Amino acid sequence: MAKATQLIDNEVFRAYATYTAIVLLKMMLMSLITAYFRITRKAFVNPEDTASFGKGESAKKYLRTDPDVERVRRGHLNDLENIVPFVGIGLLYALSGPELSTALLHFRIFTGARILHTFAYLIPLPQPGRGLSWAVGYSVTFSMAYKVLKTAWLL
């Protein structure tokens, strides 16, 4: 089994670690954006979150949904549905011995697609921009999965 220092010396693994960190930080940023929208729109889901706006009936009006908050939450959920598989499959892919240039292409395209998807969701940009950015990222993850299976099963 490879030691951690051997992995860090591997250029493909370093690229994987870099681009994974970028998309995970982007996903974490979505939590902060959700909090920002909740606070600025005064739309909360938990009674204790409304305490600073009063008590009882006066605070209940802040227990509501808001279209902007829900839009950010859907974007965050989409990140969870797409970035988590990328992290797992990307790790297996990085360990499968791909060429550095091919790995960089996969990692960069996925990262760019997810960033574009976030902008398309939050601004919002007209379709098919968001759909295409999702499809590109999803295709990259499938491409890496195919390479892993091809390597493991010698397809």
Side-chain angles (χ1 to χ4, degrees), residues 15 24 68 83:
L24 287 173
D68 294 332
I83 292 174

Side-chain angles (χ1 to χ4, degrees), residues 26 28-38 72 118 122:
K26 187 213 81 61
M28 290 170 62
L29 179 64
M30 294 299 287
S31 295
L32 297 175
I33 294 171
T34 302
Y36 169 79
F37 274 87
R38 282 200 183 285
V72 174
T118 297
L122 296 180

Side-chain angles (χ1 to χ4, degrees), residues 56-77:
E57 293 301 315
S58 65
K60 281 187 178 179
K61 67 181 175 183
Y62 300 110
L63 292 174
R64 61 186 182 85
T65 59
D66 178 84
D68 294 332
V69 172
E70 292 306 308
R71 184 169 198 82
V72 174
R73 290 184 67 233
R74 287 191 306 272
H76 192 192
L77 179 60

Side-chain angles (χ1 to χ4, degrees), residues 9-130:
D9 290 338
N10 180 306
E11 289 181 330
V12 171
F13 185 79
R14 279 200 319 260
Y16 163 77
T18 300
Y19 288 100
T20 297
I22 291 168
V23 293
L24 287 173
L25 285 170
K26 187 213 81 61
M27 187 170 66
M28 290 170 62
L29 179 64
M30 294 299 287
S31 295
L32 297 175
I33 294 171
T34 302
Y36 169 79
F37 274 87
R38 282 200 183 285
I39 292 166
T40 59
R41 305 305 193 269
K42 294 183 174 82
F44 303 98
V45 292
N46 299 310
E48 63 271 17
D49 297 338
T50 64
S52 62
F53 300 107
K55 296 194 185 261
E57 293 301 315
S58 65
K60 281 187 178 179
K61 67 181 175 183
Y62 300 110
L63 292 174
R64 61 186 182 85
T65 59
D66 178 84
D68 294 332
V69 172
E70 292 306 308
R71 184 169 198 82
V72 174
R73 290 184 67 233
R74 287 191 306 272
H76 192 192
L77 179 60
N78 193 279
D79 275 352
L80 290 167
E81 294 168 350
N82 289 275
I83 292 174
V84 172
F86 169 81
V87 170
I89 291 170
L91 176 61
L92 297 174
Y93 175 75
L95 297 174
S96 73
E99 291 291 324
L100 177 61
S101 60
T102 306
L104 282 171
L105 190 64
H106 279 92
F107 301 152
R108 288 173 178 167
I109 289 174
F110 181 85
T111 301
R114 290 314 304 171
I115 291 169
L116 179 60
H117 184 270
T118 297
F119 283 117
Y121 225 120
L122 296 180
I123 291 176
L125 297 177
Q127 285 287 21
R130 189 179 80 232

